[in-house]
Amino acid sequence: MTMSSERGPGENGAPEPAGGAVELRPAGPPDAAEIARIWGQGWADAHLGHVPPALVEARTAASFLERVPEVLTDTVVAERAGAVIGFVTIEGDQVDQLYLDRAARGGGIGSALLRAGERAVIAAGHDRAWLAVATGNTAARRFYERQGWIDDGRFVHPAPVPGGAVPVDAHRFLSPRRR
């Protein structure tokens, strides 16, 4: 999928980014370092102050680089002018990670990546996708609601860390039924 460089309605009415065409494509090993950088930066922006200290301690820059190979085959990246500017990963029926470089936020790329993740989940045979959002991350919760996702309520999300998981107060969002 390519998004044009002109602003205006794109796929599903989302605005298209200024600054050059954006291509969504499967991730590959050469993308690992940029995915890890964007993931670490975006994770900090979205989670600091909203998750337990034990999870913050586990989410070092090195931890993101170590985790990328585990998700690479289930990742779609957004690329502009040869540079990765965002990504989405899926795990089963879950849209597990969705992050954009700070400079790429607000231009419709997150919406396009979310739709790509949802399509991948449905193509894998699931009726709909779900995702978890830390309860305190109100900006992300508003974003998903604007995309038509349904807040299915609070739950305790087991965030994976080496040797186990850290319980995180979260909201479970369900994708709209599109079949």
Side-chain angles (χ1 to χ4, degrees):
M1 170 187 186
T2 301
M3 300 171 69
S4 93
S5 62
E6 297 176 17
R7 285 209 173 262
E11 184 181 334
N12 294 334
E16 294 186 348
V22 174
E23 178 185 1
L24 301 186
R25 63 167 176 77
D31 303 317
E34 277 303 287
I35 291 170
R37 181 190 66 76
I38 293 166
W39 194 356
Q41 177 189 81
W43 188 91
D45 291 347
H47 293 88
L48 293 181
H50 306 301
V51 297
L55 186 56
V56 175
E57 285 179 28
R59 295 294 186 256
T60 64
S63 76
F64 293 104
L65 194 53
E66 291 166 6
R67 292 173 66 201
V68 168
E70 300 168 8
V71 302
L72 205 54
T73 59
D74 295 314
T75 301
V76 171
V77 295
E79 179 179 74
R80 179 187 294 141
V84 172
I85 58 172
F87 71 95
V88 63
T89 69
I90 64 163
E91 182 178 329
D93 62 347
Q94 181 184 11
V95 173
D96 192 35
Q97 308 294 332
L98 172 62
Y99 292 102
L100 296 175
D101 184 86
R102 287 178 180 140
R105 295 176 190 167
I109 300 164
S111 298
L113 283 168
L114 181 62
R115 285 190 303 273
E118 179 188 11
R119 281 193 302 271
V121 165
I122 291 169
H126 303 283
D127 287 335
R128 67 189 335 177
W130 73 278
L131 55 82
V133 180
T135 296
N137 188 353
T138 56
R141 290 172 47 203
R142 284 192 304 266
F143 168 77
Y144 294 119
E145 288 170 353
R146 285 192 311 270
Q147 304 309 307
W149 286 57
I150 301 136
D151 187 340
D152 194 43
R154 289 174 84 158
F155 78 113
V156 176
H157 179 65
V161 296
V166 172
V168 175
D169 185 46
H171 281 248
R172 178 181 166 101
F173 277 77
L174 301 173
S175 67
R177 293 202 182 267
R178 301 194 197 266
R179 284 191 172 181

